[in-house]
Protein backbone atom coordinates (compact mmCIF):
# COMPACT_ATOMS: atom_id res chain seq x y z
CA UNK A 1 0.00 0.00 0.00
CA UNK A 2 1.38 3.38 -0.96
CA UNK A 3 1.66 6.31 1.43
CA UNK A 4 -1.12 8.09 -0.45
CA UNK A 5 -3.59 5.21 -0.29
CA UNK A 6 -2.68 4.58 3.35
CA UNK A 7 -3.54 8.19 4.19
CA UNK A 8 -6.77 8.03 2.21
CA UNK A 9 -7.71 4.80 3.96
CA UNK A 10 -7.26 6.52 7.33
CA UNK A 11 -9.66 9.26 6.23
CA UNK A 12 -12.15 6.63 5.03
CA UNK A 13 -11.93 4.90 8.41
CA UNK A 14 -12.53 8.20 10.22
CA UNK A 15 -15.58 8.79 8.00
CA UNK A 16 -16.82 5.27 8.71
CA UNK A 17 -16.54 5.97 12.45
CA UNK A 18 -18.83 8.96 11.91
CA UNK A 19 -21.26 6.92 9.85
CA UNK A 20 -21.49 4.37 12.67
CA UNK A 21 -22.14 7.17 15.19
CA UNK A 22 -24.95 8.58 13.06
CA UNK A 23 -26.43 5.11 12.53
CA UNK A 24 -26.66 4.75 16.29
CA UNK A 25 -28.03 8.27 16.74
CA UNK A 26 -30.77 7.59 14.19
CA UNK A 27 -31.79 4.52 16.15
CA UNK A 28 -31.78 6.34 19.49
CA UNK A 29 -33.16 9.82 18.79
CA UNK A 30 -36.67 10.09 17.41
CA UNK A 31 -36.99 13.85 17.06
CA UNK A 32 -37.49 14.71 13.33
CA UNK A 33 -35.30 17.82 13.50
CA UNK A 34 -32.40 15.74 14.79
CA UNK A 35 -32.99 12.76 12.53
CA UNK A 36 -33.00 15.04 9.49
CA UNK A 37 -29.59 16.43 10.45
CA UNK A 38 -28.24 12.98 11.34
CA UNK A 39 -29.42 11.51 8.03
CA UNK A 40 -27.85 14.30 5.98
CA UNK A 41 -24.56 14.09 7.88
CA UNK A 42 -24.49 10.31 7.48
CA UNK A 43 -25.19 10.53 3.75
CA UNK A 44 -22.52 13.17 3.20
CA UNK A 45 -19.95 11.02 5.01
CA UNK A 46 -20.94 8.02 2.87
CA UNK A 47 -20.49 10.12 -0.26
CA UNK A 48 -17.06 11.42 0.73
CA UNK A 49 -15.91 7.95 1.81
CA UNK A 50 -17.06 6.55 -1.55
CA UNK A 51 -15.17 9.26 -3.44
CA UNK A 52 -12.00 8.59 -1.47
CA UNK A 53 -12.44 4.85 -1.97
CA UNK A 54 -12.75 5.46 -5.72
CA UNK A 55 -9.50 7.41 -5.59
CA UNK A 56 -7.83 4.48 -3.84
CA UNK A 57 -9.22 2.10 -6.47
CA UNK A 58 -7.88 4.42 -9.18
CA UNK A 59 -4.42 3.78 -7.75
CA UNK A 60 -4.96 0.05 -8.28
CA UNK A 61 -5.52 -0.65 -4.62
CA UNK A 62 -8.57 -1.53 -2.61
CA UNK A 63 -10.05 0.60 0.16
CA UNK A 64 -9.95 -1.11 3.53
CA UNK A 65 -13.60 -1.86 4.04
CA UNK A 66 -13.33 -4.89 6.27
CA UNK A 67 -13.84 -2.62 9.25
CA UNK A 68 -17.36 -1.57 8.32
CA UNK A 69 -17.73 0.58 11.40
CA UNK A 70 -14.35 2.27 10.98
CA UNK A 71 -11.65 1.92 13.59
CA UNK A 72 -11.45 -0.03 16.80
CA UNK A 73 -11.09 3.24 18.69
CA UNK A 74 -14.17 4.59 16.90
CA UNK A 75 -16.16 1.55 18.02
CA UNK A 76 -14.98 2.09 21.57
CA UNK A 77 -16.06 5.75 21.43
CA UNK A 78 -19.43 4.73 20.03
CA UNK A 79 -19.99 2.30 22.89
CA UNK A 80 -18.96 4.98 25.37
CA UNK A 81 -21.39 7.47 23.81
CA UNK A 82 -24.17 4.92 24.05
CA UNK A 83 -23.36 4.24 27.69
CA UNK A 84 -23.28 7.95 28.55
CA UNK A 85 -26.60 8.53 26.79
CA UNK A 86 -28.20 5.64 28.68
CA UNK A 87 -27.32 7.16 32.05
CA UNK A 88 -27.70 10.84 31.22
CA UNK A 89 -30.60 12.96 32.41
CA UNK A 90 -30.84 14.29 28.85
CA UNK A 91 -29.78 11.50 26.45
CA UNK A 92 -30.37 13.56 23.31
CA UNK A 93 -28.00 16.26 24.53
CA UNK A 94 -25.41 13.66 25.59
CA UNK A 95 -25.55 11.99 22.20
CA UNK A 96 -25.23 15.33 20.39
CA UNK A 97 -22.17 16.12 22.52
CA UNK A 98 -20.57 12.84 21.47
CA UNK A 99 -21.44 13.45 17.81
CA UNK A 100 -19.84 16.89 18.03
CA UNK A 101 -16.68 15.29 19.45
CA UNK A 102 -16.69 12.87 16.51
CA UNK A 103 -17.03 15.79 14.09
CA UNK A 104 -14.07 17.50 15.81
CA UNK A 105 -11.93 14.37 15.32
CA UNK A 106 -12.93 14.15 11.66
CA UNK A 107 -12.23 17.85 11.12
CA UNK A 108 -8.80 17.47 12.69
CA UNK A 109 -8.00 14.42 10.52
CA UNK A 110 -8.84 16.32 7.33
CA UNK A 111 -6.94 19.42 8.46
CA UNK A 112 -3.87 17.36 9.27
CA UNK A 113 -4.08 15.55 5.94
CA UNK A 114 -4.32 18.86 4.10
CA UNK A 115 -1.45 20.45 5.96
CA UNK A 116 0.93 17.62 6.80
CA UNK A 117 0.53 14.69 4.43
CA UNK A 118 3.48 13.92 2.19
CA UNK A 119 1.27 13.28 -0.84
CA UNK A 120 0.17 16.27 -2.88
CA UNK A 121 -2.93 14.34 -3.98
CA UNK A 122 -3.99 13.63 -0.38
CA UNK A 123 -3.51 17.31 0.45
CA UNK A 124 -5.61 18.23 -2.59
CA UNK A 125 -8.44 15.83 -1.73
CA UNK A 126 -8.44 16.79 1.95
CA UNK A 127 -8.62 20.45 0.91
CA UNK A 128 -11.45 19.68 -1.50
CA UNK A 129 -13.60 18.06 1.19
CA UNK A 130 -12.54 20.22 4.12
CA UNK A 131 -15.25 22.87 3.57
CA UNK A 132 -17.93 20.16 3.74
CA UNK A 133 -16.35 18.70 6.87
CA UNK A 134 -16.24 22.18 8.43
CA UNK A 135 -19.93 22.74 7.60
CA UNK A 136 -20.85 19.43 9.23
CA UNK A 137 -18.93 20.46 12.33
CA UNK A 138 -20.65 23.87 12.42
CA UNK A 139 -24.06 22.29 11.94
CA UNK A 140 -23.47 19.87 14.80
CA UNK A 141 -22.25 22.76 16.97
CA UNK A 142 -25.52 24.58 16.21
CA UNK A 143 -27.49 21.44 17.04
CA UNK A 144 -25.65 21.18 20.36
CA UNK A 145 -26.64 24.77 21.14
CA UNK A 146 -30.28 24.02 20.26
CA UNK A 147 -30.17 20.87 22.37
CA UNK A 148 -28.73 22.79 25.33
CA UNK A 149 -31.53 25.36 25.04
CA UNK A 150 -34.09 22.55 25.06
CA UNK A 151 -32.49 20.97 28.12
CA UNK A 152 -32.60 24.30 29.93
CA UNK A 153 -36.16 25.03 28.70
CA UNK A 154 -35.15 28.33 27.19
Amino acid sequence: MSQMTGSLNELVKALNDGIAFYDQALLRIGNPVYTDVFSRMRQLKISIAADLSDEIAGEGEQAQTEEVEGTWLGSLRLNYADLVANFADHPRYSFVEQLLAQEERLLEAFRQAREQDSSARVKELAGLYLPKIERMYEEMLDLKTLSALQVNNI
Side-chain angles (χ1 to χ4, degrees), residues 2 23-25 28 33 43 53 76 89 98 105 109 143:
S2 72
D23 285 343
Q24 188 65 27
R28 301 271 319 229
V33 171
Q43 193 56 47
S53 294
L76 184 63
D89 290 335
Q98 294 301 316
R105 288 187 289 276
L143 195 60

Side-chain angles (χ1 to χ4, degrees), residues 64-90:
Q64 295 177 351
T65 57
E66 70 276 2
E67 295 177 282
V68 175
E69 292 187 3
T71 64
W72 176 83
L73 187 55
S75 294
L76 184 63
R77 288 179 179 136
L78 177 60
N79 288 332
Y80 173 75
D82 195 35
L83 181 66
V84 168
N86 281 332
F87 290 106
D89 290 335
H90 304 283

Side-chain angles (χ1 to χ4, degrees), residues 11-59:
L11 293 176
V12 169
K13 287 179 186 178
L15 288 159
N16 286 341
D17 285 343
I19 293 165
F21 262 90
Y22 285 103
D23 285 343
Q24 188 65 27
L26 285 164
L27 291 173
R28 301 271 319 229
I29 308 297
N31 182 306
V33 171
Y34 289 79
T35 57
D36 177 56
V37 172
F38 298 163
S39 294
R40 282 187 293 102
M41 298 269 229
R42 180 184 180 279
Q43 193 56 47
L44 187 53
K45 284 174 177 37
I46 289 171
S47 176
I48 294 170
D51 288 350
L52 295 179
S53 294
D54 287 348
E55 187 75 23
I56 293 167
E59 292 296 310

Side-chain angles (χ1 to χ4, degrees), residues 121-140:
R121 183 65 178 147
V122 171
K123 287 180 180 183
E124 178 186 355
L125 289 167
L128 175 69
Y129 292 110
L130 190 57
K132 292 179 182 182
I133 302 296
E134 288 170 335
R135 278 194 302 276
M136 285 190 283
Y137 170 79
E138 291 296 326
E139 189 168 2
M140 189 52 60

